[in-house]
Amino acid sequence: MKYTQLGRTGLKVSRLTLGTMNFGPQTGEAESHAIMDAALAAGINFFDTANTYGWHENKGRTEEIIGTWFAQGGDRRDKVVLATKVYGNMTPDGVAPWPNHDKLSAVNIRRSVEASLKRLQTDYIDIYQFHHVDRNTPFEEIWQAVDVLVQQGKILYAGSSNFPGYKIAQANELAARRGSYGLVTEQCLYNLAERRAEMEVLPAARDYGLGVIPWSPLHGGLLGGVLKKEVEGSRRASGRAASALADPATRAQVQAYEELLDKHGLHPGEVALAWLLTRPGVTGPIVGPRTAEQLDSAVRAVELKLSKDVLLSLDEIFPGPGPSPEAFAW
């Protein structure tokens, strides 16, 4: 495994981030524990989760599974850089949340930290991430709550998720005026098929020293060899990938992508991850394996070196927006 500095911090993290969203809903506790053990054995030390993972009536279940894994000992907690998130309500789907039990008020941040710590069976969270922008809570209040938690030792850093570039700038400018450390990570949708983050999110993250942690690096399976799997009958596209393939132009792109990689003897999913690792400012994509075999494939991507010809061909198939601000200014 390779490691890098997390943004402007002194923290060293693996070039792959273990996403845990499938733990509980799709992967049982025993297999989830085995995947986390395998991730540590492969050198992955950066784990990402959220308080709402588990979903529906089981919100919080994913954090609980991580907590029972930590409780097994063996320096598991000490070896992991743990990131979780706050924003969503923890009531079952379809039930209106009680006032102040969601979003980023100081009240909910404090309540949510305490609940996550209990589920995770730990006394601190390395990176506490704001899952979405809260338009109704000023950053003055958010940073006041974060500073208290840092002073208490309950969190070490703060990060964002799904923030536009101007909110990253706004948050960190206000943090600087307060003498707070500000955001150190941004978790955004970014992959070969979805490159809008290059317009403003990535430039803002680089300028303010945030490590970028792309989610959905395979775009819901679209970049993992989905067409070949359909032909073989091993798996049908669903969710984000199925919606994308409904567009004939996107299907043609994916067909060209798979044909290019087949010609070079490369695995599409591994190439999609390896491509992200070449992007300036990217710390490491979030991989969410449902099985140990999927984790093994992701780990191989760290060692994969893409030739200049392959990189140029990928840009031709999935062109990005171009440099900012030129891409939208003229």
Side-chain angles (χ1 to χ4, degrees), residues 186-327:
E186 162 57 19
Q187 187 175 137
C188 61
L189 175 61
Y190 182 41
N191 56 56
L192 268 168
E194 175 50 84
R195 296 177 61 170
R196 285 178 292 177
E198 294 174 3
M199 294 284 281
E200 293 200 40
V201 175
L202 268 63
R206 289 197 299 270
D207 283 354
Y208 284 97
L210 279 65
V212 175
I213 313 163
W215 61 267
S216 196
L218 304 188
H219 208 62
L222 186 75
L223 302 171
V226 64
L227 296 181
K228 183 177 182 180
K229 291 174 182 176
E230 280 189 351
V231 171
E232 294 173 345
S234 61
R235 185 180 178 188
R236 292 193 61 81
S238 61
R240 188 185 302 276
S243 299
L245 288 175
D247 175 22
T250 300
R251 178 174 283 271
Q253 282 182 306
V254 175
Q255 184 68 51
Y257 171 69
E258 293 190 13
E259 288 175 356
L260 168 72
L261 302 186
D262 187 58
K263 182 175 70 174
H264 289 275
L266 298 170
H267 187 281
E270 294 171 15
V271 168
L273 294 173
W275 178 83
L276 279 169
L277 293 173
T278 70
R279 309 310 295 167
V282 168
T283 298
I286 298 172
V287 296
R290 294 185 300 275
T291 64
E293 290 75 17
Q294 291 178 345
L295 177 64
D296 291 340
S297 177
V299 170
R300 289 194 294 272
V302 178
E303 294 295 332
L304 182 59
K305 301 295 183 183
L306 300 179
S307 69
K308 184 177 180 180
D309 287 344
V310 168
L311 289 170
L312 288 173
S313 296
L314 291 173
D315 270 336
E316 290 174 359
I317 296 170
F318 297 108
S324 177
E326 290 85 352

Side-chain angles (χ1 to χ4, degrees), residues 95-118:
V95 178
W98 194 251
N100 304 313
H101 276 219
D102 62 358
K103 301 187 178 177
L104 301 179
S105 70
V107 169
N108 191 54
I109 287 175
R110 176 177 176 175
R111 175 186 297 110
S112 297
V113 164
E114 297 294 346
S116 284
L117 290 172
K118 184 176 180 179

